[in-house]
Amino acid sequence: MTTARTYGDPCAAARALDLLGERWALMIVRDLLFGPKRYSDLQGGLPNASPTVLSQRLRDLEEGGVIRRRKLGPPARAWVYELTEWGHDLEPILVHLGRWGRHSPLKETATPLGTDSLMLAVKSHLESARLGDLDATFLVDVGGEVFTLRVSGGDLAIRRGEPDRWDAALRTDPAVLKALVIDGTPPGQLGEQLEITGDRATLQRLLDALHLGDQT
């Protein structure tokens, strides 16, 4: 039976949309792709979602098996939301959705991109074939939010948190990272707002693998 919350359609795509088709659902998934977050962190990343709607979507996604809630051990002892293994299967879908969305006729808003959006942009701009035999770990600090980028076997994995060791580190703010990753601005033109330490040539190999030729 079709209701306000379901299409009532046995098609697998329709059943997926029953879980993810409500507003803010996929945005929550996007913000959890690279690691768990507290409710307050999700609120900060999705400021236009009302607390009532955000809470409802989190309940829906948890009931649907896309996310789960768990308590971190000491010293944090905080409750966080994270994707389930099944929820993580949505990553390639969001990466391809980002590639598709770059050709949207809708104009970009003036709202700055969040760090999770920028990390997704790194994935969606990447041409894996251009990584070659690159095997390296990178630390990326965006305005105090730290991510580990691990390249191996022609694949790029991103997770929230600092690596035990890294080959190169990049520290900057969201606006400069957007200029570097999305706009294709060479590092040398970004001045002191971009700090690179470690093996710059190895980091440049990663940047060279970002496909910038189909920007609109």
Side-chain angles (χ1 to χ4, degrees):
M1 178 183 295
T2 303
T3 69
R5 301 299 300 278
T6 178
Y7 291 105
D9 189 319
C11 169
R15 288 187 285 121
L17 288 172
D18 284 343
L19 289 172
L20 301 168
E22 295 283 352
R23 194 175 185 211
W24 299 110
L26 273 178
M27 301 288 277
I28 292 170
V29 173
R30 179 201 68 186
D31 278 17
L32 294 177
L33 277 180
F34 307 114
K37 282 190 172 186
R38 297 172 297 178
Y39 179 84
S40 58
D41 296 327
L42 288 167
Q43 275 190 312
L46 303 169
N48 294 324
S50 72
T52 300
V53 171
L54 180 59
S55 296
Q56 182 62 58
R57 294 296 170 269
L58 288 168
R59 284 194 294 271
D60 294 342
L61 291 169
E62 188 172 8
E63 289 173 3
V66 179
I67 68 172
R68 60 176 161 248
R69 187 169 176 260
R70 69 176 176 91
K71 191 172 185 178
L72 297 176
R77 298 188 183 279
W79 286 96
V80 295
Y81 292 92
E82 65 184 3
L83 294 176
T84 63
E85 184 177 352
W86 188 50
H88 271 291
D89 287 344
L90 289 165
E91 180 174 331
I93 295 172
L94 280 166
V95 170
H96 284 286
L97 191 62
R99 291 172 180 163
W100 183 81
R102 291 207 300 269
H103 302 284
S104 169
L106 301 178
K107 299 296 183 182
E108 289 186 23
T109 68
T111 305
L113 283 172
T115 53
D116 292 281
S117 298
L118 287 165
M119 290 300 106
L120 184 60
V122 172
K123 297 277 288 190
S124 66
H125 282 76
L126 182 71
E127 281 197 346
S128 297
R130 300 176 69 179
L131 290 172
D133 61 354
L134 181 62
D135 189 330
T137 302
F138 305 95
L139 181 152
V140 176
D141 183 332
V142 192
E145 290 194 55
V146 180
F147 295 85
T148 295
L149 278 63
R150 173 71 185 137
V151 178
S152 179
D155 185 46
L156 168 65
I158 301 177
R159 66 170 177 83
R160 188 172 282 107
E162 187 169 340
D164 295 330
R165 55 163 295 279
W166 43 265
D167 297 282
L170 185 155
R171 296 176 175 86
T172 189
D173 59 44
V176 173
L177 188 61
K178 175 184 180 295
L180 183 68
V181 172
I182 298 178
D183 303 330
T185 306
Q189 296 182 17
L190 295 172
E192 297 180 356
Q193 298 175 348
L194 179 66
E195 178 188 344
I196 297 174
T197 52
D199 191 338
R200 296 178 68 99
T202 297
L203 176 62
Q204 188 61 53
R205 287 187 63 186
L206 174 61
L207 296 177
D208 289 342
L210 301 180
H211 182 57
L212 301 167
D214 61 353
Q215 298 302 296
T216 58

